Amino acid sequence: MVTAADPIERARTLLRLRRPADAERELRGLLAQEPQHTVGHALLSLALIEQRRADEAVQEAQESVRLAPDQWLPHYAAAQVYNRARRPDDAVTAVRAALELSPEYAPAWEVLARAHLSKAEWQPMLDAALRGLSIEPEDCDLVSLVSLAYLNLGDPGQARAAAAHAVRIDPESPTAHFVYGRAELRFGDPRRAAESFREVLRLDPGFGAARDWLVRALKERNPVYRRLSRLRGRFPQGWRLIFLLPVIPPVIAVFVILALLHWVAWVAEAWSMLRLARGRATRLLFEGAEARVAVACLGLVAAGAVLLGLGIGLGQEALGVAGASVMALVTPVQEAAHTGSPRGRAILYGWAGLLGVAVVVSVLVAEPGVALLALYASIATVWLATPVRGRLTPAV
């Protein structure tokens, strides 16, 4: 005879396998027979929040708590739902209720730490994560949260040590490598940070934030960019300084040189990625979109060089400038490919497409000025992509 425990265990397994829709079907069937099943409502709330149906998830979590306010599981599930629904205050209240009933459950301390992370409360976050580690000393996610807390508290030694420890505990954890990359980027070597973010994307190609941080790491390898970034950090509204460019011509030269250096870095990145994608030992790590983008970028460089050479040889200025503009398209294409938000990626790919159309039009109408503007806009995308990426990428 099928017992009520069977759909519960099946639902738990399906949730672990990241199949929330299947888990929801199991739980709906159970609740149709037993509408007052506390665990059923709690697990259903988790299945719904995994499908980004926040309002329904909150209702199920609240129903579970109403049915069994003296059990820790409903409060714990509700805390997870509130966290995912971006209601950190409610998450803190719920998880503290769970901890009052079961203070030795380490995952509840992790949820509390994540709630404080959402509120940018670094010391309470650290305290909660360390309390969880006192129960489960080898929990990779808790160690990663400790590292993030130390990172934001400005403790480089502890942040890097905790991040390295998280990677040792679980070398296959995207979160551990992500936090290690963050620590290296803040206090260590941007090159090692870039390697860590690449590893995150290898382990979890859908980890959108890692793409954005990879861009930062690649740019931070440029010493000029590092200095300008630190200067910009001192002026929260520093973007307004762009209006001073016409009255300070030497600054224009600095920005142009920096944009060109970024273009060179993006070309080098495409070459390195293609080598990895074609290498016998690493080809399986970089199949798919990364390899296609690398090929496309190197193709743009080759095609642009051919057009530039023809323009010079034939004495056609429009064709030559168009060739340089085609090569410059590497920057918007790479900026788009390394954007974590699907919407932001679509916007930047659309921008690259418009610039490509402008280059084609410049050749058809023999107007080098149009191609020259497209050239400037392409290399300037290294700056234009930053607000797009910042506004559309969800916080981690």
Side-chain angles (χ1 to χ4, degrees):
M1 184 179 70
V2 177
T3 66
D6 293 329
I8 291 295
E9 291 307 315
R10 286 197 296 271
R12 289 183 192 274
T13 300
L14 290 167
L15 286 173
R16 285 194 292 268
L17 293 174
R18 296 186 179 182
R19 293 169 54 185
D22 294 332
E24 180 188 356
R25 281 193 290 272
E26 289 284 346
L27 294 164
R28 294 285 188 195
L30 169 65
L31 292 173
Q33 298 178 8
E34 299 184 47
Q36 306 297 311
H37 199 291
T38 302
V39 178
H41 284 289
L43 293 181
L44 180 56
S45 71
L46 299 178
L48 290 169
I49 199 64
E50 284 289 337
Q51 299 175 72
R52 300 184 180 182
R53 292 155 61 183
D55 291 340
E56 295 176 70
V58 168
Q59 290 177 3
E60 292 296 332
Q62 291 174 343
E63 177 65 11
S64 179
V65 170
R66 186 189 69 80
L67 291 171
D70 57 343
Q71 296 181 19
W72 66 271
L73 179 60
H75 295 287
Y76 172 68
Q80 293 192 70
V81 167
Y82 287 134
N83 244 352
R84 295 285 298 275
R86 298 187 180 183
R87 293 169 56 174
D89 291 325
D90 292 329
V92 169
T93 300
V95 76
R96 288 200 179 280
L99 287 168
E100 288 180 3
L101 296 165
S102 182
E104 297 305 309
Y105 188 56
W109 290 103
E110 178 187 337
V111 173
L112 179 58
R114 291 184 184 277
H116 286 302
L117 169 62
S118 298
K119 299 173 69 177
E121 296 174 347
W122 311 123
Q123 189 58 52
M125 171 188 171
L126 176 61
D127 295 339
L130 289 175
R131 180 69 174 83
L133 280 178
S134 69
I135 302 167
E136 294 287 346
E138 296 299 302
D139 187 299
C140 177
D141 288 338
L142 282 169
V143 176
S144 298
L145 288 169
V146 167
S147 176
L148 265 182
Y150 279 128
L151 179 72
N152 287 285
L153 288 170
D155 189 332
Q158 297 276 25
R160 295 176 73 188
H165 183 48
V167 172
R168 285 195 299 272
I169 292 173
D170 186 359
E172 297 298 310
S173 167
T175 302
H177 288 283
F178 178 77
V179 171
Y180 186 77
R182 291 283 307 273
E184 285 294 336
L185 186 59
R186 176 79 175 274
F187 302 117
D189 182 356
R191 191 174 299 275
R192 285 200 296 268
E195 292 172 357
S196 294
F197 295 132
R198 283 199 186 95
E199 182 66 9
V200 174
L201 294 171
R202 182 188 73 82
L203 294 167
D204 184 0
F207 202 125
R211 294 186 182 276
D212 295 335
W213 283 96
L214 176 57
V215 171
R216 298 190 191 189
L218 293 172
K219 292 178 179 178
E220 286 285 341
R221 295 189 303 185
N222 184 331
V224 178
Y225 182 87
R226 282 202 301 273
R227 291 187 179 92
L228 286 177
S229 294
R230 290 170 188 154
L231 180 63
R232 184 179 61 185
R234 297 178 184 177
F235 302 97
Q237 302 299 324
W239 61 271
R240 295 176 181 171
L241 296 176
I242 195 172
F243 294 112
L244 297 178
L245 294 183
V247 297
I248 313 177
V251 177
I252 297 177
V254 171
F255 276 80
V256 170
I257 292 171
L258 183 57
L260 290 174
L261 288 174
H262 281 311
W263 178 85
V264 172
W266 280 129
V267 173
E269 174 71 12
W271 176 252
S272 299
M273 182 60 66
L274 187 61
R275 287 178 57 197
L276 290 170
R278 293 175 63 87
R280 180 177 301 177
T282 56
R283 68 178 60 178
L284 294 178
L285 304 182
F286 296 98
E287 292 183 327
E290 294 90 348
R292 290 194 295 271
V293 169
V295 170
C297 289
L298 295 177
L300 288 172
V301 174
V306 170
L307 290 175
L308 179 59
L310 287 174
I312 295 173
L314 299 175
Q316 296 185 13
E317 184 181 1
L319 189 60
V321 177
S325 299
V326 169
M327 289 192 287
L329 288 173
V330 169
T331 294
V333 170
Q334 286 280 39
E335 290 284 346
H338 288 81
T339 296
S341 162
R343 185 180 172 195
R345 195 157 54 244
I347 290 172
L348 292 175
Y349 272 130
W351 169 248
L354 287 175
L355 294 175
V357 170
V359 174
V360 173
V361 170
S362 73
V363 174
L364 294 177
V365 301
E367 179 51 66
V370 175
L372 190 61
L373 288 174
L375 169 62
Y376 292 152
S378 292
I379 63 173
T381 305
V382 70
W383 309 108
L384 300 175
T386 300
V388 173
R389 189 175 292 116
R391 287 180 179 274
L392 296 180
T393 300
V396 178

